[in-house]
Amino acid sequence: MNYTDILSPKFEPETTGTTIMAVIYDGGLIIGADSRTSSGQFVADRCADKIDYVHDRIFCLRSGSAADTQTIAKYVRYYVDAHAQELGRLPAVATAANLFRNFLYEYKDSLSAAIIVAGWDPYKGAQIFTLPLGGSVIEQKWSIGGSGSTFIWGFCDSNYKENMSLQEARAFVLHAVGHAMYRDGSSGGIIRLLNVTKDKIEREFIDYKDVPIK
Amino acid sequence: MIFNSELSAQQQHTTSPVVTGGSVIALAYKGGVVIGTDTLCSYGSMAAFKNVEKIAQVSKNTIYVSSGEYSDFQQVVKELAKIDRSALQYDDGVHPSPRDYGNFLARLSYKKRCKINPLYLQNVIAGFHNGERYLALVDIYGTYLESNFVTTGFASYFCKAIISNYWNENCTLDQAKQVIRECFKVLFCRDCRAHDVIQLGYVDEQGVHVEQPERVETKWDFNGFKTRANEKLHTQ
């Protein structure tokens, strides 16, 4: 029974039960996410955008409570903006990751949020930082998160290669997210991709009929 | 019908289902009854079993589908299939009617509900007998309702409005099937435990016809979906 009445003792908050993924390739990084926001068994939003803007070349992928992650992302966006104005140049991805980390760590008992921070900066190039539930920060070459990620660890472990080309990385993300959406009830809809490089950001919308696995 | 768990000292209580089937929608049309269901069995939130054909033919003119715990559904199919065979003992040429199956299931469900060991199911029984359509819903407690249209699970929330607006009890088979397909499109978009491959089955004067699974077409390439990207919310 789906309880959406907030006063009910079994209220299930809106979460991004989800599949999110980021992969560094030779020249930048690719971010991918599904588009389903669920509230218990109900699909509250079937076309959500889980790739949140933090700065021109820094993005975050949100999983866990939608309310928690949206609020934290809003704060971090504000802090990074102020910082970048003072700095006069692009901020470091590690800075954004650290700001997220401070929230997740200090309020770890109250929050249900896991975030992947991915972006490009002029100091160290493309970077991905995974911030799981407790507030740790782990830098990785590729990262998957959300409830759907449990279904694709094997796929990703077997298929990830260092220094992939853009086409290989895009295919890797597309198939991985597709496989996760195929099996996870809390992930679904369309796939949103984002290619982040030094020169540009490219968004891509993969319609449901073009998802590799159905 | 005695379950093994009731014979042994250990009492089993099915209070939480493990493998579950999705919504069922059934509509009467002019000349019969059609049932639609999707082909997915979920294991919690995982879409574990994807090509499950859930429309069971229990006799020459009766079909049975349910949503809820899949093992309970399989057990009920076994028991309902026995009824026709055991009726042969009377050797009078009389076969149980669809209503007999519906009533049996209602009594069984109520008995198990009273022992706090329910069949975790919402059952739909459809049939055609002596020129009359039959459609009934039996829920987890044994509540028995005959009706011209029946929905279980999430379909009860999302699809009754669609059915009210586009269906009437004297429509054609194709019209009824189309209404069911539209309902499953909505369910696929809005129910986490739904799948877009469905199966339709209908009973009419000629008997039971169960069709091959088919995929329903849903639309995702709206302009608003595509351009709804977060950096446009921030003026940079």
Side-chain angles (χ1 to χ4, degrees):
Chain A
M1 187 59 181
N2 180 42
Y3 291 84
T4 46
D5 172 13
I6 196 166
L7 294 174
S8 160
K10 286 199 182 143
F11 172 64
E12 291 174 80
E14 196 172 286
T15 63
T16 39
T18 190
T19 308
I20 47 177
M21 182 168 180
V23 176
I24 291 177
Y25 67 92
D26 185 22
L29 59 91
I30 294 252
I31 296 177
D34 74 307
S35 68
R36 176 173 289 185
T37 303
S38 49
S39 180
Q41 205 170 314
F42 171 60
V43 178
D45 189 352
R46 66 173 171 122
C47 60
D49 185 1
K50 300 177 188 179
I51 306 172
D52 261 10
Y53 172 91
V54 176
H55 199 74
D56 288 346
R57 292 291 181 276
I58 306 178
F59 294 85
C60 72
L61 294 161
R62 306 179 286 108
S63 66
S65 157
D68 288 348
T69 53
Q70 281 174 6
T71 310
I72 296 170
K74 220 171 178 177
Y75 274 109
V76 172
R77 188 178 301 129
Y78 164 64
Y79 293 146
V80 170
D81 180 42
H83 168 66
Q85 306 259 15
E86 288 182 329
L87 208 56
R89 47 189 158 92
L90 282 175
V93 183
T95 309
N98 198 46
L99 290 165
F100 272 109
R101 174 260 174 212
N102 288 343
F103 275 102
L104 299 186
Y105 182 76
E106 295 303 325
Y107 299 105
K108 60 164 73 179
D109 295 331
S110 323
L111 293 175
S112 169
I115 301 200
I116 298 176
V117 182
W120 182 94
D121 66 35
Y123 325 110
K124 291 203 174 139
Q127 293 149 83
I128 295 172
F129 294 93
T130 307
L131 286 81
L133 241 40
S136 30
V137 186
I138 299 152
E139 187 176 356
Q140 293 181 297
K141 291 281 177 226
W142 61 277
S143 179
I144 55 177
S147 55
S149 67
T150 54
F151 300 97
I152 51 173
W153 281 106
F155 176 87
C156 292
D157 285 331
S158 296
N159 290 61
Y160 171 72
K161 296 190 308 269
E162 289 243 24
N163 295 329
M164 288 188 271
S165 68
L166 169 60
Q167 285 82 359
E168 288 174 318
R170 182 185 171 279
F172 176 54
V173 171
L174 208 53
H175 280 84
V177 177
H179 273 297
M181 284 161 55
Y182 185 66
R183 287 295 180 183
D184 183 23
S186 310
S187 304
I190 53 104
I191 299 180
R192 292 194 195 271
L193 294 177
L194 183 67
N195 175 24
V196 182
T197 61
K198 169 173 181 253
D199 304 311
K200 60 179 160 46
I201 299 173
E202 281 173 325
R203 269 202 181 258
E204 205 181 337
F205 175 93
I206 310 294
D207 191 6
Y208 175 71
K209 61 179 184 335
D210 300 321
V211 170
I213 307 103
K214 282 198 279 291
Chain B
M1 179 177 160
I2 302 177
F3 286 77
N4 286 336
S5 57
E6 289 164 28
L7 286 173
S8 66
Q10 284 285 330
Q11 262 284 306
Q12 263 186 354
H13 298 276
T14 317
T15 47
S16 58
V18 175
V19 177
T20 51
S23 308
V24 178
I25 301 172
L27 303 174
Y29 65 93
K30 193 175 178 64
V33 183
V34 56
I35 296 190
T37 178
D38 66 15
T39 57
L40 173 68
C41 277
S42 301
Y43 185 73
S45 71
M46 176 184 173
F49 308 106
K50 289 217 155 184
N51 287 311
V52 185
E53 301 197 5
K54 290 186 241 170
I55 301 186
Q57 176 174 1
V58 291
S59 81
K60 270 206 289 288
N61 57 6
T62 315
I63 48 180
Y64 162 66
V65 195
S66 67
S67 60
E69 170 61 52
Y70 191 61
S71 64
D72 284 345
F73 164 74
Q74 291 182 314
Q75 180 69 0
V76 171
V77 169
K78 280 200 172 100
E79 294 300 331
L80 291 182
K82 277 187 205 170
I83 291 176
D84 199 25
R85 276 205 308 284
S86 58
L88 291 172
Q89 290 175 337
Y90 299 107
D91 203 16
D92 56 7
V94 176
H95 289 278
S97 72
R99 183 167 285 112
D100 293 338
Y101 288 103
N103 186 59
F104 173 82
L105 192 48
R107 297 290 94 233
L108 175 65
S109 300
Y110 185 72
K111 169 188 163 185
K112 291 188 63 57
R113 164 262 187 206
C114 288
K115 296 190 176 185
I116 327 276
N117 185 16
L119 285 166
Y120 213 93
L121 299 171
Q122 296 244 333
N123 306 286
V124 178
I125 304 175
F128 196 89
H129 182 68
N130 284 346
E132 274 189 16
R133 308 175 296 203
Y134 172 82
L135 179 58
L137 170 74
V138 179
D139 75 4
I140 188 180
Y141 310 108
T143 318
Y144 175 81
L145 294 161
E146 279 184 38
S147 178
N148 276 333
F149 73 100
V150 150
T151 56
T152 69
F154 251 53
S156 301
Y157 297 95
F158 289 109
C159 301
K160 288 205 151 94
I162 300 174
I163 294 170
S164 300
N165 287 331
Y166 293 101
W167 165 85
N168 67 75
E169 57 172 354
N170 290 318
C171 65
T172 65
L173 172 60
D174 283 326
Q175 285 171 336
K177 280 187 190 174
Q178 202 48 36
V179 171
I180 293 181
R181 287 189 189 106
E182 287 303 315
C183 289
F184 276 104
K185 286 184 194 181
V186 171
L187 286 176
F188 178 62
C189 289
R190 291 296 171 182
D191 180 9
C192 289
R193 312 280 176 260
H195 189 34
D196 58 348
V197 178
I198 66 165
Q199 193 178 28
L200 296 167
Y202 61 96
V203 203
D204 59 15
E205 215 170 24
Q206 275 85 42
V208 171
H209 315 263
V210 178
E211 302 191 344
Q212 285 300 304
E214 57 181 271
R215 189 183 289 276
V216 291
E217 291 297 317
T218 42
K219 187 172 162 65
W220 297 84
D221 57 353
F222 295 102
N223 228 11
F225 286 11
K226 288 188 191 182
T227 58
R228 185 206 154 142
N230 280 331
E231 53 257 29
K232 300 243 174 14
L233 298 174
H234 315 284
T235 50
Q236 288 263 351

